[in-house]
Amino acid sequence: VHHRMGDRSGRQLLTMRITEHALHGWDLAKAIGIGYQIHDGVAAVLLDEMASDPLIAGGFTPLAGASELVGSEKLLALTGRR
């Protein structure tokens, strides 16, 4: 499928959408002061996909120590979120 970042597979596009929804859902929840936890199973899948496809992870500045974390905490830290 053609995408502004280049041709992508359906799997890559779906992963990008899930990543966006998970992270922006967390952003919104934090902004309005409510709790929101990305399920660790979802985070694990997204982390695996990000490791194999730099375009999915592109554009983020990881926090220091992000690689030492696990699950949703690692996902948030790798994408610059505290």
Side-chain angles (χ1 to χ4, degrees), residues 31-42:
I32 63 175
I34 62 172
Y36 174 78
Q37 179 71 32
I38 298 171
H39 188 278
D40 281 336
V42 172

Side-chain angles (χ1 to χ4, degrees), residues 12-82:
Q12 290 168 318
L13 289 174
L14 180 60
T15 301
M16 289 168 68
R17 294 294 84 82
I18 294 169
T19 302
E20 289 174 3
H21 287 288
L23 294 175
H24 294 313
W26 184 89
D27 294 337
L28 179 59
K30 184 166 182 164
I32 63 175
I34 62 172
Y36 174 78
Q37 179 71 32
I38 298 171
H39 188 278
D40 281 336
V42 172
V45 170
L46 297 178
L47 288 166
D48 286 344
E49 292 293 325
M50 289 170 74
S52 67
D53 186 348
L55 286 177
I56 293 172
F60 297 113
T61 302
L63 300 178
S67 62
E68 299 164 10
L69 301 172
V70 295
S72 61
E73 294 299 320
K74 182 173 186 172
L75 178 65
L76 293 170
L78 284 175
T79 57
R81 291 160 171 87
R82 297 186 191 276

